Amino acid sequence: MNILIVNRYGDPDVEEFSYELEKLLHHHGHHTSTYKENLLGEAPPLFCREHPPDLAIVIGGDGTILLTTQRMPVQVPLIGINYGEVGFLADIEPEEMSTFVSHLTEPLSLEARMRIELRINGQHIGTALNEALIVTDRPAKMLKFLIHINGNVAERFRADGLIISTPTGSTAYAMSAGGPIVDPRVEGFLMVPLAPFMLSNRPHLIDSSRTVSITLEATKPAKLVIDGQTEIHLETSSTIELSKSPSPALFIDAGQNFFEKINRKLRHL
């Protein structure tokens, strides 16, 4: 297989581990290329759309995995080796590398993870694997939100912000804000208000087949943050349309039970 190795930038331990991984992959007959992730400034796509790798192995934490999916011109199968704090998206620990590589054969067993496409006035502004966050430019300032579902007003509330999460992202910022843990096989939009003015404003999980839009009813400057990587300035009275992306992220099924993995990682927080 042609395998792309993506490294977290500037970590000597990751560099050394990547070198050992590359040698091991070569020993098993695979071809490799390496990309060193850099969070600073604009970066080119990870690979040419016309010649994608068969697999991307990401060494780092959840942020590195999210950045990798953002910079893929087309989604290819990936798996994360956890060199982060908790690594909810990473299925392999460093000590499991040898076993994983020795069993790496095609066809790959894959799990598709839903992503959310975001548009303003019909213009595509980004795609989220974890979440999109709407907050004011200045902290501790409230925004007014109007939610439409299938053209009908479903909710109007005030809050410090709003998290629009995928099921995959339910274990990230949304969980910290009081949202539920959602099975990644459930496809829907999870909306979690941040510090809502009324306690009756609760998280909603909305089927991804529905038409959902979020309108800001505010005069304060606000921004949209996608997967913690991309910030977009929002005009007052902006309306953001949500839809299920036709291009999901593709994770290798490492044979781990989702609920066991989450319970194990939560115990280490």
Short mmCIF file of all heavy atoms in Angstrom, two decimals, residues 3 5 15-34 57 59 97-98 101:
data_model
loop_
_atom_site.label_atom_id
_atom_site.label_comp_id
_atom_site.label_asym_id
_atom_site.label_seq_id
_atom_site.Cartn_x
_atom_site.Cartn_y
_atom_site.Cartn_z
N ILE A 3 1.26 4.62 1.76
CA ILE A 3 0.82 5.12 3.06
C ILE A 3 1.45 6.49 3.33
O ILE A 3 2.66 6.67 3.19
CB ILE A 3 1.20 4.13 4.18
CG1 ILE A 3 0.50 2.79 3.93
CG2 ILE A 3 0.84 4.69 5.55
CD1 ILE A 3 0.89 1.70 4.91
N ILE A 5 2.28 9.22 6.16
CA ILE A 5 2.45 9.40 7.60
C ILE A 5 2.39 10.89 7.90
O ILE A 5 3.14 11.68 7.32
CB ILE A 5 3.79 8.82 8.09
CG1 ILE A 5 3.87 7.32 7.78
CG2 ILE A 5 3.96 9.05 9.58
CD1 ILE A 5 5.24 6.71 8.05
N GLU A 15 8.86 12.49 16.10
CA GLU A 15 9.81 12.33 15.00
C GLU A 15 10.49 10.95 15.07
O GLU A 15 10.60 10.24 14.06
CB GLU A 15 10.87 13.43 15.05
CG GLU A 15 10.35 14.84 14.83
CD GLU A 15 10.42 15.26 13.38
OE1 GLU A 15 10.99 14.50 12.58
OE2 GLU A 15 9.88 16.33 13.06
N GLU A 16 10.95 10.58 16.24
CA GLU A 16 11.62 9.30 16.41
C GLU A 16 10.66 8.14 16.18
O GLU A 16 10.99 7.15 15.51
CB GLU A 16 12.22 9.21 17.82
CG GLU A 16 12.99 7.93 18.08
CD GLU A 16 13.61 7.88 19.46
OE1 GLU A 16 13.61 8.93 20.16
OE2 GLU A 16 14.10 6.80 19.84
N PHE A 17 9.44 8.26 16.72
CA PHE A 17 8.45 7.22 16.54
C PHE A 17 8.09 7.07 15.06
O PHE A 17 7.94 5.95 14.56
CB PHE A 17 7.20 7.55 17.35
CG PHE A 17 6.12 6.51 17.26
CD1 PHE A 17 6.11 5.42 18.11
CD2 PHE A 17 5.10 6.63 16.33
CE1 PHE A 17 5.13 4.46 18.03
CE2 PHE A 17 4.11 5.67 16.23
CZ PHE A 17 4.12 4.58 17.09
N SER A 18 7.96 8.19 14.36
CA SER A 18 7.63 8.17 12.94
C SER A 18 8.70 7.44 12.13
O SER A 18 8.39 6.68 11.20
CB SER A 18 7.45 9.59 12.42
OG SER A 18 7.23 9.61 11.03
N TYR A 19 9.96 7.67 12.50
CA TYR A 19 11.07 7.01 11.81
C TYR A 19 10.99 5.50 11.99
O TYR A 19 11.17 4.73 11.02
CB TYR A 19 12.39 7.56 12.34
CG TYR A 19 13.62 6.88 11.76
CD1 TYR A 19 13.99 7.06 10.43
CD2 TYR A 19 14.40 6.05 12.57
CE1 TYR A 19 15.11 6.43 9.91
CE2 TYR A 19 15.53 5.41 12.06
CZ TYR A 19 15.87 5.61 10.73
OH TYR A 19 16.98 4.98 10.22
N GLU A 20 10.70 5.04 13.20
CA GLU A 20 10.58 3.61 13.47
C GLU A 20 9.37 3.02 12.73
O GLU A 20 9.43 1.89 12.22
CB GLU A 20 10.46 3.36 14.97
CG GLU A 20 11.69 3.73 15.77
CD GLU A 20 12.93 2.94 15.32
OE1 GLU A 20 12.78 1.74 15.00
OE2 GLU A 20 14.03 3.53 15.30
N LEU A 21 8.27 3.78 12.70
CA LEU A 21 7.07 3.32 11.99
C LEU A 21 7.35 3.16 10.50
O LEU A 21 6.94 2.17 9.88
CB LEU A 21 5.92 4.31 12.21
CG LEU A 21 4.65 4.06 11.40
CD1 LEU A 21 4.05 2.69 11.71
CD2 LEU A 21 3.62 5.16 11.67
N GLU A 22 8.06 4.13 9.93
CA GLU A 22 8.38 4.07 8.51
C GLU A 22 9.23 2.83 8.19
O GLU A 22 8.98 2.13 7.20
CB GLU A 22 9.12 5.34 8.09
CG GLU A 22 9.23 5.53 6.60
CD GLU A 22 9.71 6.92 6.24
OE1 GLU A 22 10.14 7.67 7.15
OE2 GLU A 22 9.67 7.24 5.05
N LYS A 23 10.22 2.54 9.03
CA LYS A 23 11.05 1.35 8.82
C LYS A 23 10.21 0.08 8.89
O LYS A 23 10.39 -0.85 8.09
CB LYS A 23 12.17 1.30 9.86
CG LYS A 23 13.28 2.31 9.66
CD LYS A 23 14.54 1.93 10.44
CE LYS A 23 14.27 1.76 11.92
NZ LYS A 23 15.52 1.43 12.67
N LEU A 24 9.29 0.04 9.84
CA LEU A 24 8.45 -1.14 10.02
C LEU A 24 7.53 -1.34 8.81
O LEU A 24 7.34 -2.47 8.34
CB LEU A 24 7.64 -1.01 11.30
CG LEU A 24 6.81 -2.22 11.74
CD1 LEU A 24 7.71 -3.43 11.98
CD2 LEU A 24 6.01 -1.88 13.01
N LEU A 25 6.97 -0.25 8.31
CA LEU A 25 6.09 -0.33 7.14
C LEU A 25 6.87 -0.82 5.92
O LEU A 25 6.37 -1.64 5.13
CB LEU A 25 5.44 1.02 6.88
CG LEU A 25 4.36 1.46 7.87
CD1 LEU A 25 4.01 2.93 7.68
CD2 LEU A 25 3.10 0.59 7.73
N HIS A 26 8.08 -0.31 5.73
CA HIS A 26 8.92 -0.76 4.61
C HIS A 26 9.22 -2.24 4.73
O HIS A 26 9.23 -2.97 3.72
CB HIS A 26 10.22 0.05 4.57
CG HIS A 26 10.02 1.48 4.17
ND1 HIS A 26 11.01 2.43 4.31
CD2 HIS A 26 8.95 2.13 3.65
CE1 HIS A 26 10.56 3.60 3.88
NE2 HIS A 26 9.31 3.44 3.48
N HIS A 27 9.47 -2.70 5.95
CA HIS A 27 9.76 -4.12 6.18
C HIS A 27 8.60 -5.00 5.74
O HIS A 27 8.81 -6.15 5.28
CB HIS A 27 10.09 -4.34 7.66
CG HIS A 27 10.30 -5.78 8.03
ND1 HIS A 27 11.45 -6.47 7.69
CD2 HIS A 27 9.49 -6.67 8.71
CE1 HIS A 27 11.35 -7.71 8.13
NE2 HIS A 27 10.19 -7.86 8.75
N HIS A 28 7.39 -4.48 5.88
CA HIS A 28 6.20 -5.25 5.50
C HIS A 28 5.77 -4.98 4.06
O HIS A 28 4.66 -5.35 3.66
CB HIS A 28 5.05 -4.95 6.46
CG HIS A 28 5.20 -5.62 7.80
ND1 HIS A 28 4.70 -6.87 8.07
CD2 HIS A 28 5.81 -5.21 8.94
CE1 HIS A 28 4.98 -7.21 9.32
NE2 HIS A 28 5.66 -6.22 9.87
N GLY A 29 6.62 -4.29 3.29
CA GLY A 29 6.38 -4.13 1.87
C GLY A 29 5.55 -2.93 1.46
O GLY A 29 5.11 -2.84 0.31
N HIS A 30 5.33 -1.98 2.36
CA HIS A 30 4.54 -0.79 2.04
C HIS A 30 5.45 0.36 1.59
O HIS A 30 6.63 0.41 1.94
CB HIS A 30 3.72 -0.36 3.25
CG HIS A 30 2.79 -1.41 3.77
ND1 HIS A 30 1.69 -1.84 3.07
CD2 HIS A 30 2.83 -2.15 4.92
CE1 HIS A 30 1.07 -2.78 3.76
NE2 HIS A 30 1.74 -2.99 4.89
N HIS A 31 4.87 1.28 0.81
CA HIS A 31 5.57 2.50 0.40
C HIS A 31 5.05 3.66 1.25
O HIS A 31 3.85 3.74 1.52
CB HIS A 31 5.34 2.77 -1.08
CG HIS A 31 5.73 1.64 -1.98
ND1 HIS A 31 7.03 1.38 -2.32
CD2 HIS A 31 4.97 0.69 -2.58
CE1 HIS A 31 7.08 0.33 -3.11
NE2 HIS A 31 5.84 -0.13 -3.29
N THR A 32 5.95 4.56 1.65
CA THR A 32 5.55 5.64 2.55
C THR A 32 6.01 7.01 2.05
O THR A 32 6.97 7.13 1.30
CB THR A 32 6.13 5.43 3.97
OG1 THR A 32 7.56 5.51 3.90
CG2 THR A 32 5.71 4.10 4.55
N SER A 33 5.27 8.01 2.49
CA SER A 33 5.70 9.41 2.39
C SER A 33 5.31 10.06 3.71
O SER A 33 4.41 9.58 4.41
CB SER A 33 5.03 10.12 1.21
OG SER A 33 3.61 10.07 1.32
N THR A 34 5.98 11.15 4.08
CA THR A 34 5.77 11.77 5.39
C THR A 34 5.43 13.24 5.23
O THR A 34 6.03 13.95 4.42
CB THR A 34 7.02 11.61 6.28
OG1 THR A 34 7.33 10.23 6.41
CG2 THR A 34 6.78 12.21 7.66
N ILE A 57 -1.72 7.49 8.15
CA ILE A 57 -1.49 7.19 9.56
C ILE A 57 -1.08 8.50 10.24
O ILE A 57 -0.08 9.11 9.86
CB ILE A 57 -0.40 6.12 9.75
CG1 ILE A 57 -0.81 4.81 9.08
CG2 ILE A 57 -0.15 5.89 11.24
CD1 ILE A 57 0.24 3.71 9.18
N ILE A 59 0.09 10.59 13.50
CA ILE A 59 0.75 10.46 14.80
C ILE A 59 0.59 11.79 15.55
O ILE A 59 1.15 12.81 15.16
CB ILE A 59 2.24 10.13 14.64
CG1 ILE A 59 2.43 8.90 13.75
CG2 ILE A 59 2.89 9.89 15.99
CD1 ILE A 59 3.86 8.65 13.35
N MET A 97 1.74 -0.37 17.89
CA MET A 97 2.11 -0.12 16.51
C MET A 97 2.50 -1.39 15.77
O MET A 97 2.02 -1.65 14.65
CB MET A 97 3.26 0.89 16.45
CG MET A 97 3.81 1.11 15.04
SD MET A 97 5.26 2.19 15.03
CE MET A 97 6.49 1.13 15.84
N SER A 98 3.37 -2.20 16.34
CA SER A 98 3.88 -3.39 15.65
C SER A 98 2.77 -4.36 15.31
O SER A 98 2.70 -4.89 14.19
CB SER A 98 4.94 -4.09 16.51
OG SER A 98 6.07 -3.27 16.70
N VAL A 101 0.62 -2.89 12.37
CA VAL A 101 1.28 -2.96 11.06
C VAL A 101 1.33 -4.40 10.55
O VAL A 101 1.14 -4.66 9.36
CB VAL A 101 2.69 -2.34 11.13
CG1 VAL A 101 3.45 -2.58 9.83
CG2 VAL A 101 2.60 -0.85 11.41
#
